[in-house]
Amino acid sequence: MSQQLERLLPILSLIPGVNIPAGVLQSVYIAASQRKIEQLEQALMYEVGLLNQRVSAGRLMLDHDYVRSEAFTANVMQALRAAEVAESEKKLRFIARALAGCTLAHPAPQIDRFQTLRIVESISDRELHVFFEYFRLLDPIDPYHDMIPVDSQVSIPGLTRQQFLAALLGLQQLGLLTKEAVTSREGEWLADIPRHTGMGFAWQLTDLARQVAMLSQGEAQTYEE
């Protein structure tokens, strides 16, 4: 298994400044199939290639100190642990995207990469699907200050109402969503969302959700991409 994992090192080394020692994965074992490792390798190759294109074009900037640090190596190991329990190829692509996103310089406040990758590992396929579809329901200019009433009839295609609500509760447990009291004035902003009852509470994305979206560059993308 370690030889398969070592195949990831030349891909990561394509990121300028990355220099993970060749022996760092020799003692690593993850209970993942060869097919899963190959899917992760393909996903990582794609994401690193896309990353380098955007950096070369000046659209993104690398965090050069970070990619040379032991912290990046630790995050690579964490991403491998996330891949071990990934439920699908889509989840593996998401892990690869988040790991590539770790190498970028982000605006203040500083992202807690280790914390964010821990969430990436824990989130289920359905929760991840709902997380990105949730962005479609919000104000595209400022989704983090927008809200969706808890008692609204909003759902997403392919999921029952109960499945959708269960995913929202899971995202709340992961710290990605919070329930906030809605005032009368805030209720005016939500007038276009079908409601079931009167004023009450609404779902709102958290700062941790912002970190996950930034690392995965997910605000403008969907889980299916």
Side-chain angles (χ1 to χ4, degrees):
M1 185 64 69
S2 62
Q3 291 181 343
Q4 293 175 347
L5 295 179
E6 287 178 358
R7 289 162 49 183
L8 302 178
L9 292 180
I11 301 174
L12 292 170
S13 297
L14 295 175
I15 302 172
V18 171
N19 184 25
I20 299 176
V24 74
L25 298 181
Q26 289 182 351
S27 61
V28 176
Y29 175 82
I30 65 172
S33 66
Q34 180 176 347
R35 177 57 179 161
K36 184 177 287 189
I37 296 299
E38 289 174 351
Q39 290 173 337
L40 178 62
E41 181 182 6
Q42 292 168 4
L44 193 60
M45 177 67 78
Y46 173 80
E47 294 298 336
V48 169
L50 186 62
L51 173 77
N52 284 337
Q53 288 178 16
R54 291 175 172 175
V55 170
S56 297
R59 297 172 56 189
L60 299 173
M61 182 178 299
L62 286 178
D63 186 338
H64 296 285
D65 291 336
Y66 167 73
V67 297
R68 295 186 178 94
S69 71
E70 293 181 357
F72 178 64
T73 300
N75 286 152
V76 170
M77 308 295 281
Q78 191 176 22
L80 292 175
R81 289 194 295 271
E84 182 178 14
V85 296
E87 301 173 87
S88 67
E89 185 176 358
K90 292 178 182 178
K91 178 65 179 292
L92 289 169
R93 293 203 303 267
F94 177 68
I95 293 168
R97 184 181 299 175
L99 182 59
C102 280
T103 67
L104 296 174
H106 297 281
Q110 180 64 43
I111 289 180
D112 187 331
R113 295 176 172 97
F114 196 85
Q115 178 192 40
T116 307
L117 284 177
R118 189 166 67 238
I119 298 300
V120 168
E121 178 180 356
S122 300
I123 193 169
S124 73
D125 266 30
R126 181 175 294 167
E127 290 165 347
L128 193 58
H129 174 64
V130 170
F131 178 68
F132 283 119
E133 287 296 319
Y134 189 88
F135 277 96
R136 292 180 179 271
L137 305 174
L138 300 174
D139 180 357
I141 297 177
D142 190 3
Y144 300 102
H145 286 88
D146 201 1
M147 298 181 183
I148 295 179
V150 170
D151 62 355
S152 77
Q153 297 306 294
V154 170
S155 187
I156 58 176
L159 294 181
T160 67
R161 178 65 180 163
Q162 290 302 315
Q163 289 173 331
F164 178 65
L165 291 175
L168 291 178
L169 290 173
L171 294 172
Q172 182 186 27
Q173 291 179 337
L174 291 171
L176 301 177
L177 283 178
T178 183
K179 287 182 182 178
E180 298 291 338
V182 181
T183 67
S184 297
R185 183 173 297 276
E186 287 168 339
E188 297 174 4
W189 304 343
L190 308 174
D192 59 337
I193 297 179
R195 295 178 56 78
H196 186 64
T197 62
M199 302 305 297
F201 291 86
W203 295 110
Q204 187 172 27
L205 294 167
T206 65
D207 287 341
L208 183 55
R210 188 193 299 265
Q211 291 188 177
V212 172
M214 288 182 69
L215 276 197
S216 62
Q217 304 162 60
E219 295 174 36
Q221 304 187 51
T222 65
Y223 186 30
E224 276 65 35
E225 290 180 333

